[in-house]
Amino acid sequence: MFEYELSQTRSAELRAAAEHDRLVREALRVRRAARRTEAYEAARGEASAQGGTDARSHSRRPRRHRFARAA
């Protein structure tokens, strides 16, 4: 009977830890989204102040190659 209670306690601890981890991930996701939105709004404000429509590039391609070309 002791092993069963130990198993139940351990299971409850694991469930609580998993729930805590989910809450932490959700909080980080919300913070990142808020930061991204804030940066986007700031960039739009700069672009409209400069007369442009959008400060972000339409392409996600980097300007340069990530690695130097082999000789």
Side-chain angles (χ1 to χ4, degrees), residues 12-39:
E13 288 173 356
L14 287 173
R15 279 194 217 112
E19 179 64 23
H20 179 261
D21 290 345
R22 277 192 292 274
L23 290 173
V24 167
R25 280 196 309 269
E26 180 65 24
L28 288 174
R29 190 177 303 125
V30 167
R31 277 191 218 148
R32 274 191 222 116
R35 202 176 316 137
R36 197 175 307 123
T37 303
E38 183 179 322

Side-chain angles (χ1 to χ4, degrees), residues 3-59:
E3 290 84 9
Y4 177 75
E5 291 172 2
L6 194 61
S7 172
Q8 292 294 320
T9 304
R10 179 70 179 141
S11 178
E13 288 173 356
L14 287 173
R15 279 194 217 112
E19 179 64 23
H20 179 261
D21 290 345
R22 277 192 292 274
L23 290 173
V24 167
R25 280 196 309 269
E26 180 65 24
L28 288 174
R29 190 177 303 125
V30 167
R31 277 191 218 148
R32 274 191 222 116
R35 202 176 316 137
R36 197 175 307 123
T37 303
E38 183 179 322
Y40 177 73
E41 293 298 325
R44 283 191 66 158
E46 288 176 10
S48 62
Q50 295 173 356
T53 57
D54 194 7
R56 291 190 327 168
S57 171
H58 67 285
S59 172

Side-chain angles (χ1 to χ4, degrees), residues 62-69:
R63 292 178 184 237
R64 292 182 285 152
H65 291 289
R66 180 175 274 180
F67 304 107
R69 293 183 183 214

